Amino acid sequence: MISWPTPFIPRIGEGAYSSGINMWSSEFERLIPTGSMERADLYVCGITPYDATHMGHAATYVAFDLLQRVWLDAGYPVRYVQNVTDIDDPLLVRAAERGVSWEFIAESETQLFREDMTALRVIPPMAYIGAVESIPLVVEAVVKLLASGAAYWVDQDVYFNVASDPEFGGRSHLAESAQLKIFGERGGDPERVGKRAPLDCLLWRGKREGEPFWESSLGAGRPGWHIECSAIALHYLGQSIDVQGGGSDLLFPHHDMGASEAFALTGKRYAQNFMHAGMIGLDGEKMSKSKGNLVFVSTLRQSGVDPNAIRLALIESHYRSNRDWSADLLARADHRLQEWKSSLAHSRGTSAHETIAAIRSALSDDLDTPRALDAVDQWARKQHGEGDVGGPGLMSRALDTLLGIAI
Ligand code: 5CA
Ligand code: ZN
């Protein structure tokens, strides 16, 4: 499906990342020095379009946008793929509630997401792939898993045998009791009779009365969730990628299941690194459709909030931290934006180089945005004081290129 327009990204000269880009200190103790990758491949789990785009979604996609900007700035060609889970149970539930078709919900919410991403200056993926359009890829993958014995039938459904990957669960490191609990909460069916193991996950759901279905060599039905991302990523990016990303709620079961499915399909470890963004909450609760405590990007935009302020608010704290959205956070970000604007207008010096080096250094250290914003604040304060500092043109371009803040 189509994605959204690429924002203009000014050139500020290629970034010098002499100490390497360390993006994965938290999860995979890897430090990849500049020059060790010919290109950077990224797969980020996309939305399930039934209630988009809330601040949690926005924070996650802005975090991966920063990663892409750092890679591009360091000179890596980036290949970025994202999916849209445009058929899944929540869409059917929402469609029934609203008395409209699930296709209408999927299309309209995906369109809103595109508009929000455009407003937030998020660089689009090179391939934006829907679950529905990838059904042939999923069927091909499931057929292969059945043939190798990594999948099996339960009535008209097909399940993945998680034991076929000896490293299953190796990303989340959860005890089995925790795995079972979370699996049950996040779309899994540990109690299903006929499975070989409670954690085995659905690959293909045979046709049910009243539910949408597609004809295939597996019979009529629709895809399971985890295999959607594995099949899309393997097809569009090949057998190994640098980073798979998403919010931390996807670590288990989604990313563990997907990694094991990819391993069963290729015999190789698929994502070399996983990056997970923290959860955005409201008043101490995770922001989610089921809790009904959502703040939407589109609502804020309609009320006249500058998308730059939304973006600044989302990156005030580190992407990995669980944090709350609040009116105060937005007010602080808006204030900061006004300060930066005023400093750019009043600037009278020449050099922004030190500040740009500080921004690059902070971002290359696991996207340390608090430190990057602090460097800009320091630069901004100096513009109003005495002394020969500044460089507003270059500074303004750097804010856009590196932080996606266009002023
Ligand atoms: N379609 C699947 C992924 S294949 C899905 O999880 N969709 S979603 O709409 O529920 O979430 C889209 C992305 O936003 C995921 O990466 C998810 O981890 C992230 N996300 C969802 N809620 C939050 C939140 N409250 N805070 C931060 N990120 C969130
Ligand atoms: Zn996914």
Side-chain angles (χ1 to χ4, degrees):
M1 54 173 67
I2 56 161
S3 57
W4 55 91
T6 306
F8 173 69
I9 304 173
R11 292 187 67 85
I12 54 166
E14 208 163 272
Y17 290 89
S18 53
S19 61
I21 301 175
N22 178 15
M23 292 297 175
W24 304 288
S25 50
S26 59
E27 290 170 46
F28 276 95
E29 339 62 47
R30 272 171 63 118
L31 186 124
I32 301 208
T34 305
S36 73
M37 297 190 290
E38 280 169 19
R39 57 157 200 262
D41 286 345
L42 172 67
Y43 182 91
V44 179
C45 285
I47 55 164
T48 303
Y50 65 102
D51 231 346
T53 312
H54 65 60
M55 305 320 288
H57 299 136
T60 291
Y61 297 112
V62 164
F64 290 99
D65 185 58
L66 290 177
L67 172 64
Q68 188 172 188
R69 283 169 189 268
V70 170
W71 275 341
L72 291 173
D73 184 49
Y76 296 118
V78 178
R79 297 196 309 165
Y80 175 23
V81 176
Q82 190 181 127
N83 69 307
V84 188
T85 309
D86 57 359
I87 180 63
D88 204 357
D89 296 346
L91 281 146
L92 305 180
V93 173
R94 180 53 54 94
E97 280 166 11
R98 285 179 48 188
V100 293
S101 70
W102 64 269
E103 290 98 328
F104 173 79
I105 305 254
E107 273 165 34
S108 52
E109 295 295 321
T110 304
Q111 182 52 26
L112 194 55
F113 178 72
R114 291 187 186 103
E115 287 163 19
D116 291 332
M117 291 298 104
T118 306
L120 291 172
R121 304 179 62 74
V122 171
I123 303 172
M126 69 172 198
Y128 190 47
I129 310 295
V132 171
E133 65 184 325
S134 63
I135 287 174
L137 294 177
V138 169
V139 170
E140 194 187 316
V142 175
V143 166
K144 210 172 156 190
L145 290 170
L146 279 166
S148 73
Y152 60 94
W153 290 93
V154 178
D155 305 328
Q156 75 273 49
D157 305 330
V158 183
Y159 279 85
F160 177 63
N161 177 4
V162 291
S164 61
D165 176 9
E167 286 189 24
F168 170 71
R171 292 98 206 148
S172 57
H173 303 288
L174 293 169
E176 198 180 346
S177 56
Q179 287 179 333
L180 282 167
K181 180 169 177 286
I182 302 174
F183 183 58
E185 288 164 3
R186 298 188 187 156
D189 53 359
E191 315 278 326
R192 170 84 189 259
V193 177
K195 292 203 300 181
R196 290 186 195 161
L199 285 170
D200 287 354
C201 64
L202 186 72
L203 292 168
W204 182 255
R205 178 176 164 85
K207 179 181 166 185
R208 303 288 200 278
E209 198 52 43
E211 289 188 10
F213 62 90
W214 287 264
E215 295 294 346
S216 79
S217 60
L218 299 166
R222 59 183 167 104
W225 173 28
H226 315 301
I227 192 69
E228 166 195 342
C229 287
S230 317
I232 293 175
L234 285 171
H235 180 79
Y236 288 92
L237 291 170
Q239 296 203 343
S240 163
I241 62 167
D242 296 293
V243 173
Q244 175 156 12
S248 58
D249 57 339
L250 297 186
L251 177 55
F252 193 86
H254 188 51
H255 286 170
D256 257 326
M257 297 287 183
S260 291
E261 288 166 352
F263 176 79
L265 283 163
T266 67
K268 295 196 178 115
R269 179 166 145 186
Y270 174 60
Q272 301 308 306
N273 302 281
F274 284 85
M275 265 177 86
H276 292 107
M279 287 293 107
I280 301 293
L282 190 71
D283 303 325
E285 293 237 52
K286 178 191 161 187
M287 197 176 281
S288 72
K289 294 147 208 184
S290 46
K291 294 214 172 73
N293 60 350
L294 304 178
V295 176
F296 295 104
V297 174
S298 49
T299 314
L300 293 179
R301 289 199 291 120
Q302 273 154 23
S303 66
V305 175
D306 183 341
N308 283 307
I310 301 176
R311 201 171 155 118
L312 262 184
L314 294 172
I315 64 175
E316 184 194 87
S317 300
H318 194 269
Y319 77 90
R320 263 189 289 109
S321 57
N322 294 333
R323 55 208 194 272
D324 271 1
W325 178 263
S326 70
D328 274 0
L329 172 67
L330 182 60
R332 272 199 308 278
D334 196 51
H335 177 73
R336 185 175 234 159
L337 188 65
Q338 302 317 322
E339 290 286 309
W340 290 7
K341 276 187 186 169
S342 143
S343 298
L344 286 165
H346 291 99
S347 177
R348 52 218 160 86
T350 49
S351 177
H353 290 292
E354 248 176 55
T355 306
I356 292 171
I359 300 172
R360 280 177 167 146
S361 156
L363 292 181
S364 68
D365 184 11
D366 199 16
L367 302 180
D368 189 347
T369 51
R371 190 146 63 84
L373 301 196
D374 188 51
V376 184
D377 286 342
Q378 285 181 34
W379 177 88
R381 275 195 294 274
K382 283 188 202 154
Q383 306 316 304
H384 295 288
E386 300 295 318
D388 182 22
V389 288
L394 178 58
M395 194 62 211
S396 151
R397 290 197 298 282
L399 293 181
D400 195 357
T401 307
L402 297 171
L403 294 171
I405 302 292
I407 45 181

